[in-house]
Amino acid sequence: MENVAKARARHRKKINELVKKRVKETGREEAEVRREIMKERRSQRKTLKCQKADTITQNIEKNLEGESVKVIKQAVAVQLAKYHREQKKKRKDSVASTTQKMISTKIAERWCPSEESWFDLDCKESYESLYLLGALMNFNIEKNSGELEKVFPEECEKHFNLLARKRFNVQKPVDLNTEEAEKSSKSNFNLKKRKSRLDKALEQKIDAKDGNKSDRQILQELIVDIKKKESSSKLKTLRKIWFPVNQAWYDKECKVRAEEINEKATEFGLDLKSNPTHFKKLKEKSRDLTKTYFKLLEKKKSEHCRTRENEDKIKKKKTKKKKKRSLGEGEKVSSLPENRENKRIKFDDSDFEED
């Protein structure tokens, strides 16, 4: 999740830089330049996809020389479908692979901390013996250590006691130079990598885990949570693209078309409020309706002027400020009595006389 967010931020930054550069060079409006750049990038992506498809077709044509056109077309379709399936599988398995790597690193830190200075031959031999025990029972300690702890609790306890003893008996070197010690500590701090969101989430799950739950179960729970978050973020982005309600150019005509699309979705039994995959299904089932809807959105967006919108916003702000001022002045005036008369105070000569 974090890697995706970072990639999106980099992409936005790159586009903003390109927009600023082209605005300076051409002197055109920012909105127009941005649309042009986005079109160019989309065309580049399409060309890349076409190049991959062309390479696949060329390889098949070389391998199937002398065959009929129908056979070549069928082979190309099969290979392209296979390629797209593999790409989809890679995207799906990315989260599972990252979490599996994290689990394996955590297990290594707990069972075999070979990077530590106190980890000697005795520790290594005890770990190898446990690894062999697991292999005999078809357990892989590097991926899942919970089953081994259930079957061989005494052997695992001995191994952890040995590690704790070795860690405790390490003599820390005393630094006479405090400045050098501070420098070394700072350098070690800089070398440490920042923990990602997945690392933090996994640590929290491991710290707050029950005695019954194994590392594998924790991993599965974490994958489910991450997939839920991904699907919710995907749903938000899709709804913004399909129904940009907060935009100024999204008028009554667009809303009427959007209602028609929602009605079609209910007819097909699709839920556009909770399931992000249903958007693609609706596009496949009713292509004409979706095409006309997106054409209308593009038309409204292109006709809309951003400068005018900004001017309208500034005008609205000014009118609001004026109204507030006028209301404040009215309250001040209303607080004074309407028929107020100045009172004349008479002073006697006795008031000025000294006692």
Side-chain angles (χ1 to χ4, degrees):
M1 283 287 282
E2 192 177 3
N3 294 329
V4 173
K6 281 179 181 177
R8 281 175 183 168
R10 283 198 297 273
H11 178 69
R12 281 196 297 273
K13 193 180 176 183
K14 194 177 180 181
I15 285 163
N16 289 330
E17 284 172 0
L18 286 166
V19 168
K20 281 178 184 177
K21 194 178 178 183
R22 200 168 286 187
V23 165
K24 280 181 181 179
E25 288 172 359
T26 56
R28 288 186 293 167
E29 288 185 1
E30 191 181 333
E32 192 182 343
V33 171
R34 193 177 286 278
R35 279 199 295 273
E36 192 182 333
I37 286 163
M38 294 305 287
K39 272 185 184 179
E40 285 171 8
R41 290 183 77 82
R42 279 197 292 273
S43 63
Q44 283 173 7
R45 283 198 292 272
K46 280 178 184 177
T47 50
L48 280 168
K49 282 181 182 177
C50 292
Q51 281 174 5
K52 284 171 185 174
D54 289 335
T55 50
I56 289 162
T57 50
Q58 282 170 12
N59 290 326
I60 289 160
E61 281 172 2
K62 280 180 184 178
N63 293 326
L64 299 171
E65 279 184 13
E67 294 287 336
S68 63
V69 178
K70 194 178 179 180
V71 172
I72 290 163
K73 276 185 179 179
Q74 283 176 353
V76 167
V78 168
Q79 287 296 319
L80 283 169
K82 192 181 177 183
Y83 168 74
H84 289 302
R85 274 200 302 274
E86 284 171 0
Q87 292 294 316
K88 200 174 181 181
K89 198 177 179 183
K90 277 179 186 176
R91 285 195 294 274
K92 278 185 179 178
D93 296 340
S94 62
V95 176
S97 63
T98 49
T99 43
Q100 183 60 58
K101 279 178 186 175
M102 285 160 62
I103 283 281
S104 59
T105 50
K106 289 283 171 191
I107 289 164
E109 283 172 11
R110 192 186 168 202
W111 290 76
C112 182
S114 55
E115 291 177 359
E116 297 292 335
S117 58
W118 48 264
F119 193 83
D120 55 4
L121 285 166
D122 296 332
C123 301
K124 196 179 180 182
E125 283 173 4
S126 69
Y127 175 72
E128 282 174 356
S129 64
L130 284 171
Y131 190 84
L132 283 166
L133 269 172
L136 287 166
M137 300 294 290
N138 293 324
F139 301 148
N140 191 357
I141 300 173
E142 291 175 353
K143 289 183 178 179
N144 190 8
S145 58
E147 292 173 354
L148 188 78
E149 285 184 69
K150 284 178 184 176
V151 178
F152 303 107
E154 291 177 3
E155 284 79 1
C156 295
E157 197 177 344
K158 280 179 186 177
H159 176 68
F160 289 127
N161 288 333
L162 178 71
L163 292 177
R165 215 183 308 122
K166 294 284 181 182
R167 195 185 290 111
F168 184 75
N169 292 330
V170 170
Q171 291 181 353
K172 291 179 181 178
V174 179
D175 292 323
L176 297 169
N177 248 338
T178 52
E179 289 179 5
E180 286 179 7
E182 282 175 6
K183 282 178 184 177
S184 64
S185 65
K186 281 178 184 177
S187 64
N188 288 330
F189 179 75
N190 291 327
L191 284 166
K192 283 180 183 177
K193 289 181 180 179
R194 286 182 180 180
K195 288 178 182 177
S196 63
R197 285 180 192 175
L198 279 169
D199 286 318
K200 286 173 185 176
L202 190 65
E203 279 180 2
Q204 285 173 4
K205 287 258 184 190
I206 287 162
D207 292 335
K209 76 170 181 177
D210 301 325
N212 300 324
K213 283 184 181 179
S214 63
D215 295 333
R216 177 66 59 186
Q217 287 172 339
I218 292 162
L219 172 67
Q220 284 170 355
E221 284 176 6
L222 192 67
I223 288 163
V224 168
D225 292 338
I226 289 159
K227 279 181 178 177
K228 277 181 184 176
K229 284 177 183 177
E230 278 186 351
S231 66
S232 64
S233 64
K234 199 176 181 182
L235 184 71
K236 277 182 183 178
T237 51
L238 283 166
R239 282 195 72 79
K240 277 180 184 178
I241 293 159
W242 281 63
F243 312 112
V245 183
N246 296 324
Q247 297 297 328
W249 48 265
Y250 194 79
D251 56 3
K252 286 180 181 179
E253 195 179 348
C254 298
K255 284 174 184 176
V256 169
R257 292 282 182 185
E259 283 174 7
E260 285 176 11
I261 279 165
N262 284 317
E263 283 171 7
K264 267 282 177 200
T266 48
E267 276 179 27
F268 292 124
L270 303 170
D271 188 13
L272 301 178
K273 288 181 180 178
S274 62
N275 202 335
T277 55
H278 286 183
F279 286 91
K280 195 177 180 181
K281 286 177 182 177
L282 184 69
K283 251 188 180 181
E284 287 171 356
K285 285 179 179 179
S286 60
R287 286 182 182 178
D288 296 329
L289 192 114
T290 50
K291 268 185 183 180
T292 50
Y293 176 65
F294 282 115
K295 276 179 183 177
L296 179 73
L297 291 180
E298 281 177 11
K299 189 186 172 185
K300 295 282 181 185
K301 199 175 180 180
S302 61
E303 286 174 359
H304 181 70
C305 185
R306 278 287 172 91
T307 52
R308 202 187 298 155
E309 188 189 339
N310 291 328
E311 284 172 7
D312 291 336
K313 279 180 182 177
I314 292 158
K315 279 180 184 177
K316 279 178 183 177
K317 280 181 183 178
K318 283 179 180 177
T319 50
K320 277 181 183 178
K321 281 180 182 177
K322 281 179 183 177
K323 279 180 182 178
K324 279 181 182 178
R325 282 175 189 170
S326 63
L327 284 165
E329 285 171 4
E331 281 173 5
K332 281 178 185 176
V333 171
S334 63
S335 64
L336 293 167
E338 289 178 359
N339 299 320
R340 189 166 67 91
E341 293 180 359
N342 292 326
K343 289 181 180 179
R344 291 181 181 181
I345 300 164
K346 291 179 180 180
F347 295 99
D348 295 328
D349 294 333
S350 61
D351 292 331
F352 299 101
E353 288 178 1
E354 292 179 359
D355 293 326

